[in-house]
Amino acid sequence: MLNFWTDCSRLLERELTPQQFSAWIKPLRALDYDASTGRLRIGAPNRWKLDAIRAQWKEVPQISDKEIFSYLKQNAAAKSEDRFRKQKGSVEEALAGAADRLDATYNVAYIAHAPLEPRAALAQWTDGKLTVWTGTQRPFANRDELAAIFHLPESSVRVIVPDTGSAYGGKHTSDAAIEAARLAHTVGRPVKVVWTREEEFTWAYFRPAGVIEIRSGIGKDGTLTAWEFHNYHSGSSGIATPYDVANQRTEYHPVPLILRSGSYRGLAATANHFARETHMDALANRAKLDPLEFRMKNLSNARMRGVLGAAARSFGWPRKKTQEGQGFGVACGDEKGSYVATFAEVTVERTSGAVRVVRLVEAFECGAIVNPDGLRNQVVGAMIQGLGGALFEAIEFENGRIKNPHFASYRVPRFREVPEIEAILLDRKDIPSAGAGETPIMAVAPAIGNALFDATGARLNNLPMVPNGVRTA
């Protein structure tokens, strides 16, 4: 077996990858250039010739993470498809007649899946048939893609999935499998390809960035009267509000890609819930109502009220503050047939602005529970993962290059940052089971953000919220 990275001198081809997104190769004699990926394969019989290859790339100026949010607003599709637009009542009339209204914008950064194991694959050809061992979430889709690329019947391609070092929605595509299969086909021997950590951070796809704009109105008694919600780029998953409001409009606006983007645990529901639940908390503050009371006042859905009530009882809401810099927050939501409510306790060190999430209590209901231990692992794992995107995870990029492509510069939650966690599982034997892998992550960020507001008086509308601590009001 050949290892592509340590024994590349014995390969007959090499793939060259540009340093910048959207770069293209200058005219050069080559066996094969794939314009869709920007990768070039050049014949080379030995290490000397491999090392002698020098590719010149044509690069173009590109925006940075500092400009991404204005870009998304300015480059949104002129008109979205009908399936991305929902409306009932008259938002404009309701806003005009509202006792109070609140408009706000929320920004969500690109984040990486950051799996412990980067993309990897081992490919072997035998008698015209291909076998690939790879960590993937979609083995059948990988098989179909490999069959199409090599013009094989599906019966001639086998994809084997060994234990995978995590994925979180990030290993749907066949990148490493295709590379290993091409190389193995060329040399006639098995080839193993393992992406470096830098390659994983640079060429894998990200959870998309987004801009979310909300206009809302409430009556004198705190009843929601108007709700308008626009998502630019990050997606439509979880965009519908669970709250009772007679006049509402929601719309998702697609935007051309800047960075490669794709599935991430919870999809766009994480961004949409962050914006909605942060906004609901701000409205409760304007209405001078308790955040839980305000939500309950505008909710008729029994399942949503059920998770809110269960989590509130276990958390001990409402809580009385016992120290300076302490705060409590709540958020809730539903997606894919399951319901979640999260309560958070945080502390903020006044001098440094350092944030600590002290406690998370989450109630989760997905119908009938089949595997309690597996469900609890999903819920707790999602809560921990949600800490990173809420507090400090963000991809930094400039001029087509990722600036933090290593764990040394891309911060993820560490053991010392994991709070006390309580997961409350509501078993509804009368309701068919739904999925549990994604929804538990959705309310973590807004619950923490609302707790930070309670602690400091500073409303944080951007994810991540506190990459460098929080400035108190």
Side-chain angles (χ1 to χ4, degrees):
M1 181 182 73
L2 295 179
N3 186 305
F4 181 52
W5 303 116
T6 61
D7 202 12
C8 61
S9 65
R10 303 183 65 184
L11 297 177
L12 299 179
E13 67 174 29
R14 179 183 184 181
E15 293 195 358
L16 299 181
T17 305
Q19 295 299 306
Q20 185 201 55
F21 295 104
S22 300
W24 66 89
I25 194 77
K26 289 183 177 181
L28 187 65
R29 238 175 122 184
L31 294 177
D32 185 14
Y33 173 60
D34 187 343
S36 65
T37 63
R39 292 194 168 194
L40 176 69
R41 297 186 297 136
I42 304 174
N46 55 49
R47 181 180 294 276
W48 181 86
K49 288 190 176 181
L50 274 172
D51 293 339
I53 295 171
R54 294 291 182 269
Q56 289 183 297
W57 298 96
K58 177 68 174 180
E59 298 183 353
V60 295
Q62 297 183 49
I63 67 171
S64 72
D65 56 278
K66 302 296 188 294
E67 306 156 312
I68 185 62
F69 301 121
S70 59
Y71 172 90
L72 294 179
K73 272 299 302 294
Q74 295 166 6
N75 290 273
K79 183 178 180 181
S80 58
E81 300 176 29
D82 290 344
R83 64 192 176 102
F84 294 141
R85 300 196 306 272
K86 305 293 181 185
Q87 180 171 345
K88 71 175 183 178
S90 173
V91 171
E92 297 303 331
E93 291 181 8
L95 287 173
D100 194 8
R101 60 176 291 177
L102 176 64
D103 302 348
T105 299
Y106 304 86
N107 297 321
V108 179
Y110 288 102
I111 66 174
H113 299 83
L116 193 61
E117 174 194 54
R119 280 161 172 73
L122 169 63
Q124 180 178 30
W125 291 85
T126 305
D127 299 328
K129 294 185 177 182
L130 172 63
T131 301
V132 174
W133 291 260
T134 188
T136 178
Q137 296 173 262
R138 303 176 70 220
F140 295 102
N142 283 193
R143 178 201 62 189
D144 296 346
E145 189 172 3
L146 289 164
I149 288 173
F150 293 102
H151 307 290
L152 296 171
E154 292 178 1
S155 59
S156 295
V157 180
R158 185 184 181 195
V159 174
I160 300 173
V161 183
D163 289 342
T164 301
S166 70
Y168 315 118
K171 293 179 180 175
H172 286 181
T173 53
S174 312
D175 309 77
I178 294 170
E179 292 170 346
R182 281 176 169 164
L183 294 167
H185 188 267
T186 299
V187 299
R189 296 175 61 184
V191 171
K192 177 183 177 181
V193 169
V194 179
W195 282 23
T196 65
R197 180 59 59 187
E198 184 172 357
E199 288 172 327
E200 180 70 31
F201 269 114
T202 302
W203 298 108
Y205 54 86
F206 304 106
R207 188 186 77 181
V211 175
I212 298 170
E213 294 182 335
I214 303 178
R215 297 196 303 160
S216 60
I218 54 175
K220 292 181 179 180
D221 62 349
T223 301
L224 274 174
T225 59
W227 184 263
E228 184 173 27
F229 190 105
H230 293 269
N231 178 303
Y232 296 86
H233 186 57
S234 58
S236 60
S237 179
I239 198 171
T241 178
Y243 298 101
D244 303 327
V245 53
N247 306 284
Q248 58 178 280
R249 180 190 302 128
T250 60
E251 186 170 358
Y252 163 58
H253 305 265
V255 184
L257 293 180
I258 288 294
L259 300 186
R260 187 185 182 196
S261 302
S263 297
Y264 184 100
R265 193 176 201 168
L267 305 175
T270 305
N272 289 327
H273 277 71
F274 169 71
R276 180 170 59 247
E277 288 299 295
T278 303
H279 202 85
M280 286 294 291
D281 213 69
L283 283 172
N285 184 258
R286 297 282 282 263
K288 295 181 171 53
L289 291 174
D290 173 86
L292 177 60
E293 178 188 354
F294 178 70
R295 285 169 171 80
M296 289 294 203
K297 183 180 185 65
N298 289 285
L299 271 174
S300 60
N301 187 297
R303 296 175 72 184
M304 188 74 80
R305 293 175 67 89
V307 291
L308 276 167
R313 287 189 295 273
S314 188
F315 187 79
W317 187 280
R319 292 274 302 277
K320 184 178 180 179
K321 296 182 182 180
T322 58
Q323 65 184 78
E324 184 181 15
Q326 186 180 40
F328 311 106
V330 56
C332 64
D334 69 303
E335 176 67 353
K336 294 182 172 67
S338 56
Y339 292 77
V340 66
T342 306
F343 286 73
E345 176 186 349
V346 304
T347 58
V348 180
E349 208 285 318
R350 290 287 181 177
T351 303
S352 66
V355 171
R356 173 158 179 77
V357 181
V358 177
R359 185 182 180 212
L360 289 177
V361 173
E362 182 165 295
F364 182 72
E365 189 260 284
C366 59
I369 297 177
V370 177
N371 181 346
D373 289 341
L375 177 59
R376 188 173 301 278
N377 287 338
Q378 287 283 3
V379 172
V380 172
M383 294 168 72
I384 295 172
Q385 185 176 12
L387 293 171
L391 298 175
F392 35 69
E393 284 189 50
I395 285 292
E396 301 169 8
F397 59 97
E398 184 177 16
N399 200 29
R401 290 172 171 82
I402 302 301
K403 296 169 62 179
N404 56 338
H406 305 280
F407 280 129
S409 51
Y410 183 90
R411 186 178 172 192
V412 296
R414 295 176 170 87
F415 284 114
R416 67 175 181 269
E417 292 161 333
V418 176
E420 176 187 344
I421 288 178
E422 181 180 355
I424 304 160
L425 309 181
L426 304 184
D427 191 3
R428 291 290 303 270
K429 298 297 187 185
D430 57 320
I431 299 175
S433 304
E438 297 185 308
T439 306
I441 199 175
M442 299 185 317
V444 172
I448 292 172
N450 295 335
L452 288 171
F453 173 79
D454 186 50
T456 66
R459 182 66 68 185
L460 304 173
N461 288 4
N462 299 330
L463 289 182
M465 290 182 285
V466 289
N468 301 300
V470 62
R471 291 180 296 176
T472 57

